[in-house]
Amino acid sequence: PNIIFNGEESELQNWIAGPNATVAIQYEDSEHGNVAVLSGDGWNSYYSLYEDDKHLPWNIAYNYISWEMNFSENNVVDLVVSTDKGTYYIHYSADSVPGKNGNYINVKLDENTKGGSWVKVTRDIQADLNTQLQDVTFTSISYAIFYGSGKVDNVQINKEMNFGSISGAIKDADGNP
């Protein structure tokens, strides 16, 4: 997989916070390690995640994306994607009404994505586009925009639906780190 963000201090520069918003890297627990803490004025705050500190588009052509999130309020994750028919925003939220509005494709997420505990979200971008546009072919992801205050970890893009993950401390057969 292409790892876009996994809590490394050096990855803080990959985020751009909107007005009255901040992003910090903070230790969460042994399962997650460091995570991004997005703090601001709730829904009115946004945080763009790029692949590097130059804030250039990801331009990654893999269909599948996964991220872990811990939000206790309404939130949205917008993926900015390129297709053979132009740019679209896939708008993921527990509060979304599925449908299309201009170049926004609304996809409803489970209610647990705003329940105040860690949740892993894995999406097939082509399938999400096809819920509203059958004649569009996904070509690449440019970046992600998170709205709301909460925590984010392990943003990955993969060419297959299989997202491996390692959590907790890694130890050998004798229990040593």
Side-chain angles (χ1 to χ4, degrees), residues 6-7 57 62 78 81 89 114 133 139:
N6 69 352
Y62 294 164
D78 280 344
V81 300
Y89 294 81
K114 62 179 183 178
L133 302 165
T139 56

Side-chain angles (χ1 to χ4, degrees), residues 45-102:
S45 300
Y46 67 88
Y47 315 84
S48 300
L49 177 60
Y50 293 88
E51 186 174 22
D52 61 31
D53 62 354
K54 295 182 180 30
H55 304 137
L56 300 173
W58 299 351
N59 291 328
I60 299 173
Y62 294 164
N63 266 39
Y64 302 99
I65 187 165
S66 173
W67 67 90
E68 293 177 40
M69 60 191 297
N70 182 341
F71 284 69
S72 56
E73 63 184 23
N74 294 341
N75 61 82
V76 169
V77 178
D78 280 344
L79 291 184
V80 182
V81 300
S82 296
T83 72
D84 62 339
K85 304 269 170 63
T87 300
Y88 287 91
Y89 294 81
I90 305 179
H91 189 80
Y92 296 103
S93 175
D95 298 314
S96 283
V97 175
K100 179 181 176 294
N101 183 8

Side-chain angles (χ1 to χ4, degrees), residues 20-147:
N20 302 313
T22 60
V23 178
I25 304 295
Q26 170 183 305
Y27 181 78
E28 177 73 0
D29 56 32
S30 61
E31 181 178 351
H32 292 94
N34 289 340
V35 301
V37 178
L38 314 179
S39 302
D41 185 18
W43 169 255
N44 296 317
S45 300
Y46 67 88
Y47 315 84
S48 300
L49 177 60
Y50 293 88
E51 186 174 22
D52 61 31
D53 62 354
K54 295 182 180 30
H55 304 137
L56 300 173
W58 299 351
N59 291 328
I60 299 173
Y62 294 164
N63 266 39
Y64 302 99
I65 187 165
S66 173
W67 67 90
E68 293 177 40
M69 60 191 297
N70 182 341
F71 284 69
S72 56
E73 63 184 23
N74 294 341
N75 61 82
V76 169
V77 178
D78 280 344
L79 291 184
V80 182
V81 300
S82 296
T83 72
D84 62 339
K85 304 269 170 63
T87 300
Y88 287 91
Y89 294 81
I90 305 179
H91 189 80
Y92 296 103
S93 175
D95 298 314
S96 283
V97 175
K100 179 181 176 294
N101 183 8
N103 64 343
Y104 281 83
I105 306 299
N106 297 320
V107 176
K108 183 166 181 61
L109 294 179
D110 290 334
E111 288 293 318
N112 66 354
T113 58
K114 62 179 183 178
S117 60
W118 282 101
V119 177
K120 183 174 184 177
V121 177
T122 301
R123 304 300 308 181
D124 177 336
I125 297 165
Q126 182 66 58
D128 288 340
L129 283 167
N130 289 151
T131 63
Q132 304 302 317
L133 302 165
Q134 283 67 44
D135 63 342
V136 167
T137 302
F138 164 78
T139 56
S140 68
I141 301 175
S142 295
Y143 58 96
I145 308 168
F146 292 80
Y147 294 86

Side-chain angles (χ1 to χ4, degrees), residues 169-177:
I170 300 172
K171 297 181 181 182
D172 65 16
D174 296 324
N176 299 314

